[in-house]
Amino acid sequence: MGTFQACGIGADADADAGLALPPASTFAPTNVQPEQWIKALASAGVTRAVLVVSHGCGFNTFPSRTNLTLADGRHFVYNYSVRNSPWKGGQGDIAQEFVEACRAHKIRPGFYHGSVNNAFLNLHSGKIGRPSGIAGQAVITQDEYEQILLLNLRQLWTDYGPLAEVWFDGGIPNGFANKLWALHQELQPDAVAFQGPTVGSSPNLIRWAGTEGGHVKYPFWSADTAKKPLGSPDAGAGAPNGTFFAPGEADTCFQGGRKEDGLAAPYGGCWFYNKGMVPKSLAELVSSYHDSVGKNAFWLIDWTPTQEGVLRPDHIERYKELGDWLHECYGVPIAESAMGGLE
């Protein structure tokens, strides 16, 4: 059981994946509390947590040091991160605070770094577009994007210690598989790679379950195939005679029904904090747990801090309710329960 969260400009602005480029100055949360987030997740029984450090707009919630000289002689600096924001005077690092909180509560940390959409780099579906004239947007080539991505990941996979999971949401750009996998094996060989490259036997791969609804269909296999060489594994139910081991992960929103006032956040639906929504009911979360873990899938629910950077009280309460239910129902192994009954 794991969790997944995005904390960035997308939580505050109308910045859909690869479509908009809000200024770094708009990232100014007033009360970021990773310790509160992780404490709440620990109460639910979570064992691993994945932080989104770079989503569709390309803003990095870690202080990127990536820079290089481009083919035309220009010097590129990845100047679209917390380092360039007013939050903590540009000295903050959400990734570091998150990792420290995870390890304090014995939760294994992981990172999502998008590789196929990045508005700052003018990247759409894995391809660099023609110069758009959008203020602040980088002008680079496809080959230069590969270098930038690898530099960003090298920093991310080096600075924060061992990771449990790395995410390639939407897969990986064509032609990047070998270098990405080599970097993964060099720096984070024990981390599973969600939708990572199918290079060789790829023992660390996990695939998308094919739904964000939190309910997978039976049967659901741990083996899979790939649609194209060196791409990402097929999403969905897997295959009983698949060519490699790639268990499925079912990611789903924690937020569900709307509050009576019907308010809505500016972006993200249920994946980012939405003040017009409430946590899913305990009954729905339990049903989703059974329809994922109970059908051979990893279960990944999200957590959604407010624009200020904290979890709402009703969210914290629901995580604890979920943890209490799971502990009461499954806290004692069946064999131990049976033996206890014979005494």
Side-chain angles (χ1 to χ4, degrees), residues 90-105:
Q91 300 302 307
D93 186 345
I94 288 179
Q96 183 63 44
E97 294 186 22
F98 161 76
V99 166
E100 290 175 356
C102 281
R103 294 191 172 123
H105 290 277

Side-chain angles (χ1 to χ4, degrees), residues 292-305:
S292 52
V293 174
K295 294 180 179 178
N296 194 40
F298 293 111
W299 193 42
L300 201 71
I301 55 174
D302 74 335
W303 79 98
T304 52

Side-chain angles (χ1 to χ4, degrees), residues 185-205:
Q185 292 298 288
E186 174 192 349
L187 300 175
Q188 294 290 342
D190 295 325
V192 296
F194 177 86
Q195 289 297 102
T198 55
V199 178
S201 61
S202 302
N204 302 70
L205 277 181

